[in-house]
Amino acid sequence: MKISRNDFTGTGKVYRFTLSQMLKGKANIISMLILFLATAVSIPVMTLVMGGGEKEEVSDITSVYVRNDTGYELDFSRIMEEDDIFADTEFINTEWTEETYKSLISPSEAYVHIQKDMDKMHFQIGAYTLEEKEFQDNELDSCIGLLSDLLNEARYAQQNARPEQLAVLTSSYDTDVQSVSDYLEADEADFDERFGVQLLYSILLMMLCTFVSTYIIQKVIEEKASKLAELLMVSVSPLAMLLGKILAVMTYVFGLAVGLASVYAISWAVTGQFVDTSVLGLQMEAAGFSMEMLKLSPVTILVLVVSLLLGYLQ
C-alpha cells in the first residue's frame, strides 16, 4: 500500500478537534483535578508520615557583640546572608571588655571575645551571656562555630590565597569506613543501581504507552458510538484521523505529566516553608536512590526525552 501526501490531509483538524474534546470532557476534568489534588498533598503527607518535624526557626539571639583582638577582619554579613538560623541576628564589632559587657547587654544578646595567644600560637573564642538568657545553648555553640569558620577564612585570605584555594581549604569532607569485602563488591553495587534505573525507566515507558493507548481507545469508541467517526471519514482519510488522534492524546498526556511535575515542585517548595522536608531526601538515599546515581545532565535529559518519544511512537 502506497502512502501519499494526501493521506495526511486533515490531520491538523482532527488533532485540534480531539484535543479540545479531551480538555472539555467532564470525566477528564474530574480526573485531572483528582490527580492534581493527590499530587499537591503527597509532599506534606509523606513528610508527616516519615517523621518530618517543624522547620527550624531563626535564632532567638537578636545581637552578638564581637570583640575581635586577632588583627583579622571578619565579614559578618556572610553569616546573615548564608545562614538561615542567624538571618535576623545582628553582629556588631565592639570594644567592650569581659568586665563591662554584663551591664551593657540584654538577655537576648550575647558577647563574644576572640583573641590570639601568641605564646601558645592558637586562637581562643569565648562566648558570654547573662544568666537569664532567652535562647538555647546550642544556638550559642552554632554562633561560635560560624565565627570560627570566618576566622579561618580570614587567616587564609591574608596569606594571599586565591578563591579556588580558599574553597579547597575551607570545604568539608566525608569519610567512609568499610570492610575489604564491601570495597571489592562496589562494582556489583554499581551494577545493581544501573539495573534499577533501567528497570524504572522501562516501567515508566510501559505505563506511559498503556495510559495513552487507553485514551486513544476511549476516543475511538466514543466517536464510533456517536456516529462521529463516519462523519470524520467523509472529510479525512483513516490515516490522518488516526495520526491526529495519536498526536492529540500525546499532547494531552505529556501536558498532564508536566502539570503534575509542576504541582509536585510547588508542593515541595510550599511545604518546605513550614516543615523540614529533608527527611524525604534522607529516606530516598537510605533506599539507595539519589540524584547523583542518575548522572543527570543536559545531554542525558535530551536522550531521555527523545527515547521516550521514540518508545511512545513505536
Side-chain angles (χ1 to χ4, degrees), residues 281-300:
L282 295 176
Q283 291 289 343
M284 293 174 63
E285 292 181 2
F289 180 82
S290 64
M291 297 304 294
E292 296 180 356
M293 181 180 68
L294 298 180
K295 302 292 189 296
L296 288 180
S297 67
V299 176
T300 55

Side-chain angles (χ1 to χ4, degrees), residues 165-205:
Q165 292 175 325
L166 285 174
V168 172
L169 291 171
T170 58
S171 61
S172 59
Y173 56 89
D174 298 324
T175 59
D176 184 16
V177 179
Q178 56 183 343
S179 63
V180 176
S181 59
D182 291 338
Y183 176 77
L184 296 176
E185 293 174 358
D187 293 338
E188 182 179 352
D190 293 339
F191 172 79
D192 293 340
E193 291 179 355
R194 292 194 299 269
F195 179 77
V197 172
Q198 295 170 5
L199 181 62
L200 178 62
Y201 170 79
S202 302
I203 293 175
L204 290 177
L205 182 59

